């Protein structure tokens, strides 16, 4: 039977499933158990993402983790209850719910713009805008996210047929997730999934136990294994040390090798070369009497040079994606003016008989998927009316929460957000790269400068960044989930409902998880602490720069920023020019910028992850390909799960039982 299915699957996946099961009605794809599992996985992954975001902006994709755990949980549930069978459509609903819920941990800005609003981040700066802040509280964080997180979903509804059917964009990650879900529900895939879940569980336990062991010996200063000076004391003072983080080893295993190497190169360039050289210019380039945290001294170079690299990288990719989008639109227009698109003659419509596969030139799978994808339409008028209503409500309430952001700022943001959402969703379909944070950074400068220092431009810019990031990010997430649903024959209606429910979960879960960290760790966001939140300081500095202008920077800082901005664009151009074969040897500027502010310690862990992957592929490439995502997810999840009890322990005021010191 297994061999027969495998042979048929080579010809058509949907023929296999057509013989095994009927596609459930869209309401039947939404089950109580799927949302219970989705909620639990949302909480788990949110803890992991917020923990990582409070250290760096490199947040790993946990789609494989969510897909495997969702499959495993529902399989166990089904065996225990012996009621409804577990279908791939229900699996897609869980996946969509988890992606939507945990996605708020990123778009909510708990390690970036939202935390940058706080007094803890503002207090580390001596700029005039340091008195312009709003400390976190649960009520306004939840209210803010509820007001801005659903607009992107409504903006994406009119785009679903255009992007997925008419343009037939690939959405590589979403398509891969869809094929993963399909494979899990075949006999061969089910067996592999059981082994993957077993490996993931084993490494989750190892990672959890290791994180707990590290904590047990961390009583007192210079205790534990969180900062082991493996390269010596001098390198340790320049933030080159080993922190034995299972999370970043796992991240290194799933990130491309060039990303890990780029992060390490960025750390060597900045902390090993640039900062020591600039520090020697103290008294010449900047005052020698300034404190180390002053944004008019060395700190300014550490913050604004990586900002220039990030903006150079982001602007280059933004222009590249927009140009590709315009070229794609032009080509589609030419096709429409020429011969009719295959969709018009192939896909079954009301009162029209489907065309035979051989005559249409399209596969059975494509016809079957498109037929069901177009069957459960979501009315465009519902999306437009909903967008206008939610936008009007948001424009009325947001200024009550943030008086610095005026209604006309919000009106402009919601007017330009749908085109930005389209550009981001289209670009993501082409390149698998969401530029939501780039759109947000662009808005920081525009709204911050518009509002001005006297009218709270720093807060206005940061909040505007959050509005734009949420709209653009959730729109892209929905189109990707719809692509996954297209591959698994899941109804767009059921996925939209799941996305709405998952987003609502995330709007409550993410602020609550962040609140636990905020209350448990008094030094959260402070440089040198366990959770320094460096990206929040970067976003705060961006907002302040937008308000003050370039005149506030120390000597030669602006010239260096110009140079690194241009270098980032040139390096990206070189990567595109040489093609895929050689681009894997050219560093990625965005990744290089990450350690400029926080140090290279996490890059060492990521490179260890790369080394493990290389050795494993040399020993057994097939097994590595099958199990690396599961093992990496286990390493990430284990330490992430430990962050929950460690936060509760810290909140209760308890300390580690002993001090582990290693002499070096």
């Amino acid at each position: 039977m297994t061999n027969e299915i495998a042979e048929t699957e080579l010809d058509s996946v949907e023929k296999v499933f057509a013989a095994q099961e009927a596609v459930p009605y869209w309401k039947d794809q939404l089950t109580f158990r799927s949302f219970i599992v989705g909620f639990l996985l949302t909480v788990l992954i949110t803890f992991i993402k917020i923990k990582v975001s409070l250290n760096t902006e490199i947040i790993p994709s946990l789609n494989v983790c969510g897909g495997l755990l969702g499959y495993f949980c529902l399989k166990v549930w089904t065996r225990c209850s012996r009621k409804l069978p577990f279908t791939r459509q229900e699996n897609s609903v869980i996946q969509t719910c988890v992606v939507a819920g945990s996605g708020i941990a990123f778009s909510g800005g708990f390690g970036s713009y939202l935390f940058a609003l706080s007094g803890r981040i503002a207090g580390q700066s001596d700029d005039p805008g340091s008195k312009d802040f709003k400390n976190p509280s649960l009520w306004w964080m939840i209210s803010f996210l509820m007001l801005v997180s659903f607009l992107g979903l409504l903006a994406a509804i009119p785009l679903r047929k255009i992007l997925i059917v008419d343009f037939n964009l690939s959405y590589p990650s979403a398509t891969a997730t869809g094929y993963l879900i399909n494979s899990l529900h075949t006999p061969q895939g089910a067996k592999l999934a059981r082994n993957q879940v077993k490996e993931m569980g084993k490494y989750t336990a190892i990672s959890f136990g290791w994180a707990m062991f590290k904590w047990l010996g961390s009583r007192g200063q210079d205790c534990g294994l969180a900062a082991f000076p493996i390269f010596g004391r001098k390198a340790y003072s320049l933030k080159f040390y080993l922190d034995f983080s299972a999370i970043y080893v796992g991240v290194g295993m799933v990130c491309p090798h060039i990303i890990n190497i780029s992060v390490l190169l960025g750390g060597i360039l900045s902390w090993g070369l640039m900062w020591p050289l600039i520090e020697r210019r103290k008294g010449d380039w900047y005052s020698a009497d300034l404190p180390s945290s002053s944004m008019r001294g060395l700190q300014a170079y550490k913050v604004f040079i990586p900002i220039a690299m990030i903006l150079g990288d982001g602007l280059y990719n933004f222009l590249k994606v927009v140009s590709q989008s315009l070229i794609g639109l032009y080509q589609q227009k030419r096709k429409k003016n020429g011969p009719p698109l295959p969709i018009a003659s192939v896909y079954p419509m009301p009162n029209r008989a489907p065309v035979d596969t051989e005559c249409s030139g399209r596969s059975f799978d494509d016809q079957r998927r498109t037929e069901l994808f177009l069957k459960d339409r979501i009315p465009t008028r519902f999306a437009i009316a909903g967008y206008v209503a939610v936008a009007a409500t948001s424009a009325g309430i947001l200024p009550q929460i943030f008086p610095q952001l005026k209604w006309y700022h919000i009106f402009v943001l919601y007017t330009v957000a749908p085109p930005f959402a389209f550009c981001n969703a289209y670009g993501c379909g082409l390149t698998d790269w969401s530029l939501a944070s780039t759109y947000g950074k662009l808005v920081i400068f525009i709204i911050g400068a518009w509002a001005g220092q006297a009218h709270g431009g720093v807060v206005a810019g940061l909040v505007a960044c959050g509005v734009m990031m949420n709209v653009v990010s959730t729109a892209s997430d929905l189109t990707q989930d719809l692509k996954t649903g297209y591959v698994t024959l899941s109804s767009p209606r059921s996925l939209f409902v799941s996305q709405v429910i998952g987003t609502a979960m995330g709007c409550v879960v993410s602020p609550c998880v962040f609140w636990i960290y905020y209350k448990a760790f008094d030094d959260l966001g402070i440089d040198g602490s366990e959770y320094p939140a460096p990206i929040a300081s970067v976003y705060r500095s961006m907002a302040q720069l937008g308000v003050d202008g370039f005149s506030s920077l120390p000597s030669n800082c602006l010239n260096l920023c110009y140079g690194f901005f241009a270098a980032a664009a040139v390096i990206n151009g070189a990567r595109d020019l040489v093609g895929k074969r050689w681009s894997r040897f050219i560093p990625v500027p965005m990744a290089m910028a990450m350690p400029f502010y926080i140090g290279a310690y996490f890059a060492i862990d990521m490179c260890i992850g790369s080394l493990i992957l290389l050795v494993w592929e040399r020993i057994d490439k097939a097994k590595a390909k099958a199990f690396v995502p599961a093992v990496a997810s286990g390493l990430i999840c284990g330490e992430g799960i430990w962050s929950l009890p460690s936060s509760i322990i810290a909140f209760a005021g308890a300390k580690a039982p002993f001090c582990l010191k290693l002499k070096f």
Side-chain angles (χ1 to χ4, degrees):
M1 178 65 180
T2 302
N3 292 334
E4 182 182 339
I5 289 175
E7 291 171 5
T8 310
E9 194 171 18
L10 292 174
D11 177 55
S12 170
V13 172
E14 296 308 331
K15 285 181 180 178
V16 175
F17 284 109
Q20 291 179 345
E21 61 182 23
V23 177
Y25 182 56
W26 74 269
K27 290 184 179 179
D28 295 332
Q29 297 172 22
L30 303 167
T31 61
F32 177 75
R33 65 186 184 184
S34 64
F35 292 116
I36 292 294
V37 171
F39 174 77
L40 295 175
L41 294 180
T42 294
V43 173
L44 169 63
I45 295 177
T46 297
F47 262 100
I48 297 168
K49 285 191 172 183
I50 289 184
K51 175 183 171 67
V52 174
S53 71
L54 291 172
N55 282 284
T56 178
E57 201 176 25
I58 301 176
I59 301 177
S61 173
L62 295 173
N63 286 356
V64 172
C65 172
L68 288 173
L69 287 177
Y71 174 83
F72 173 73
C73 293
L74 260 294
K75 272 293 184 182
V76 172
W77 190 314
T78 304
R79 286 187 177 182
C80 294
S81 62
R82 298 184 180 276
K83 291 183 179 179
L84 295 174
F86 178 36
T87 64
R88 57 185 173 141
Q89 288 79 20
E90 190 176 4
N91 207 153
S92 298
V93 166
I94 296 172
Q95 179 79 10
T96 299
C97 181
V98 173
V99 168
S102 61
I104 301 295
F106 164 71
S107 61
F110 299 100
S112 56
Y113 70 84
L114 188 142
F115 193 26
L117 291 166
S118 69
R120 290 190 190 177
I121 302 299
Q124 298 178 63
S125 172
D126 56 354
D127 289 309
S130 61
K131 297 180 180 179
D132 186 17
F133 62 87
K134 187 177 183 67
N135 281 320
S137 71
L138 276 178
W139 79 267
W140 76 250
M141 289 191 294
I142 294 174
S143 301
F144 169 71
L145 292 174
M146 284 289 187
L147 287 169
V148 301
S149 296
F150 296 95
L151 284 159
L153 307 183
L154 296 166
I157 289 176
L159 308 177
R160 69 180 187 91
K161 177 179 175 293
I162 297 170
L163 297 176
I164 295 174
V165 177
D166 291 349
F167 291 177
N168 193 27
L169 298 179
S170 59
Y171 288 99
S173 294
T175 302
T177 302
Y179 282 117
L180 170 66
I181 291 173
N182 282 343
S183 69
L184 292 175
H185 291 265
T186 62
Q188 314 97 300
K191 182 179 179 181
L192 176 61
R194 283 195 296 271
N195 292 330
Q196 288 174 326
V197 170
K198 188 182 297 183
E199 288 295 303
M200 183 177 169
K202 180 172 73 176
Y203 283 93
T204 297
I206 292 172
S207 176
F208 182 89
W210 176 247
M212 184 170 64
F213 173 74
K214 283 169 60 181
W215 175 83
L216 289 173
S218 63
R219 185 184 183 93
Q221 190 175 5
D222 296 327
C223 296
L225 298 172
F228 182 64
I230 190 172
F231 302 111
R233 290 292 175 181
K234 179 62 176 177
Y236 175 81
S237 67
L238 296 173
K239 298 198 174 184
F240 284 91
Y241 56 81
L242 188 61
D243 70 341
F244 296 99
S245 172
I247 282 185
Y248 287 110
V249 173
V251 171
M253 292 177 70
V254 294
C255 281
H257 298 305
I258 189 59
I259 295 294
N260 302 328
I261 297 299
S262 298
V263 174
L264 184 60
L265 286 175
I268 294 171
L269 175 64
S270 56
W271 289 88
L273 182 64
M274 289 178 59
W275 305 156
L277 290 176
I278 293 175
E279 193 169 15
R280 292 180 184 177
R281 310 298 297 180
K282 184 190 297 185
D284 181 12
W285 287 12
Y286 59 92
S287 173
D289 299 326
L290 292 172
S292 60
S293 61
S294 174
M295 290 303 295
R296 303 188 188 282
L298 180 60
Q299 194 79 347
Y301 299 92
K302 292 181 179 180
V303 170
F304 289 110
I305 290 176
I307 287 175
M309 292 184 69
I310 291 170
L311 290 177
D313 187 295
L315 183 61
Y316 176 88
N317 284 288
F318 172 76
L319 294 175
K320 183 178 76 171
V321 169
V322 168
S323 62
Q324 288 176 340
S325 301
L326 292 175
I327 292 170
L329 288 169
Y330 174 72
Q331 291 174 344
Q332 290 294 330
K333 186 176 180 180
R334 288 190 62 185
K335 286 182 181 179
K336 287 186 178 181
N337 292 336
L341 288 173
I343 177 176
S345 58
V346 175
Y347 303 139
M349 299 298 233
N351 303 321
R352 182 187 295 180
V355 179
D356 183 69
T357 308
E358 295 181 2
C359 299
S360 66
R362 293 184 59 93
S363 69
F364 176 84
D365 287 359
D366 286 339
Q367 291 190 79
R368 176 74 169 155
R369 288 165 180 168
T370 307
E371 175 188 358
L372 292 176
F373 187 78
L374 297 176
K375 180 181 177 183
D376 294 329
R377 294 177 179 271
I378 304 172
T380 302
R381 61 180 181 275
F382 163 78
I384 295 174
Y387 187 90
V388 172
V390 175
T393 304
S394 179
I397 298 177
L398 276 181
Q400 307 303 316
I401 303 175
F402 305 100
Q404 299 90 338
L405 191 69
K406 307 303 180 183
W407 67 268
Y408 45 85
H409 296 148
I410 301 171
F411 176 79
V412 171
L413 287 172
Y414 287 154
T415 301
V416 301
F420 281 6
F422 171 78
C423 290
N424 192 50
Y426 191 96
C428 190
L430 291 172
T431 65
D432 206 29
W433 195 337
S434 173
L435 297 176
S437 61
T438 303
Y439 291 100
K441 290 164 188 168
L442 178 65
V443 166
I444 287 179
F445 291 105
I446 295 172
I447 300 298
W450 185 4
Q453 184 69 67
H455 301 286
V458 173
V459 169
L462 290 170
V463 175
C465 169
V467 172
M468 186 58 67
M469 273 186 64
N470 275 279
V471 174
V472 172
S473 179
T474 52
S476 176
D477 288 345
L478 178 58
T479 52
Q480 291 189 80
D481 288 332
L482 289 174
K483 181 67 176 184
T484 299
Y486 174 84
V487 175
T488 60
L489 296 191
S490 302
S491 168
R493 289 187 182 181
S494 66
L495 295 183
F496 178 75
V497 172
S498 179
Q499 188 90 14
V500 169
I501 293 174
T503 300
M505 288 179 184
C507 290
V508 177
V509 170
S510 290
C512 291
V513 171
F514 174 75
W515 191 248
I516 291 173
Y517 282 101
Y518 186 73
K519 287 297 184 181
F521 299 96
D522 293 332
D523 58 354
L524 185 75
I526 306 300
D527 188 28
S529 66
E530 184 178 357
Y531 299 107
I535 306 304
S537 297
V538 169
Y539 273 72
R540 179 91 193 181
S541 299
M542 285 184 186
Q544 191 64 57
L545 181 63
V547 172
D548 292 344
F550 297 127
S551 60
S552 61
L553 297 177
S555 297
N556 294 306
C557 184
L558 184 59
N559 293 330
L560 288 170
C561 289
Y562 285 148
F564 277 89
F565 179 93
V570 169
I571 292 171
N572 272 304
R575 286 175 54 82
D576 288 337
L577 190 63
V578 300
K580 290 184 178 180
R581 181 180 178 183
W582 298 105
S583 65
R584 57 199 177 101
F585 298 109
I586 301 176
V588 179
M590 183 77 76
M592 289 182 68
M594 290 299 106
F596 268 56
Y597 182 69
I598 58 177
Y601 59 92
F602 68 96
I604 298 168
D605 294 321
M606 292 174 67
C607 288
I608 291 173
S610 263
L611 181 61
I612 292 171
L613 176 59
L614 282 171
V615 172
W616 196 349
E617 286 179 334
R618 285 296 183 96
I619 296 172
D620 191 338
K621 190 170 184 178
K623 191 172 182 180
K625 183 178 180 181
F627 289 100
V628 159
V631 171
S633 297
L635 292 173
I636 294 169
C637 288
E639 190 170 327
I641 293 170
W642 169 250
S643 66
L644 175 58
S646 68
S647 300
I648 295 173
I649 292 168
F651 185 74
K655 294 183 178 180
F658 63 90
C659 175
L660 175 64
K661 282 193 176 183
L662 296 178
K663 293 184 179 181
F664 193 81

